[in-house]
Amino acid sequence: MKFKFSIIAITVLLIVLFIKSTIDSGSFDIIKLLGIVAIAILLFWVDKKLERPVNKASLRRDIQKEFKHKDK
């Protein structure tokens, strides 16, 4: 999870803005809160999908490709 801390920071910022908005207006809007949760879930899902599994075989293959490419 490459961007986990960034996603957490964005989510916390959105929640703080939601709390500030709730305090200022005096009304609790569940739709905004559900939107924040949905955005957080979507960002974590995208981050998980972009994550590339790394093992010894794939590292070796990538390194060999890089050296073959540089030799040409």
Side-chain angles (χ1 to χ4, degrees), residues 61-72:
R61 185 178 59 245
D62 290 344
I63 290 171
Q64 287 174 351
K65 279 183 190 178
E66 189 65 33
F67 282 123
K68 285 180 184 178
H69 182 68
K70 285 184 179 181
D71 290 340
K72 290 183 181 180

Side-chain angles (χ1 to χ4, degrees), residues 32-44:
K32 288 181 184 178
L33 185 59
L34 291 175
I36 291 169
V37 171
I39 289 170
I41 291 171
L42 177 70
L43 289 175
F44 275 112

Side-chain angles (χ1 to χ4, degrees), residues 15-60:
I15 290 172
V16 167
L17 290 173
F18 170 74
I19 292 170
K20 183 182 178 303
S21 171
T22 302
I23 291 171
D24 289 345
S25 68
S27 64
F28 182 78
D29 191 8
I30 191 72
I31 301 297
K32 288 181 184 178
L33 185 59
L34 291 175
I36 291 169
V37 171
I39 289 170
I41 291 171
L42 177 70
L43 289 175
F44 275 112
W45 179 77
V46 168
D47 186 41
K48 182 73 173 164
K49 288 294 179 182
L50 291 176
E51 187 176 303
R52 189 174 121 196
V54 177
N55 56 27
K56 276 187 176 181
S58 68
L59 282 175
R60 190 174 295 130

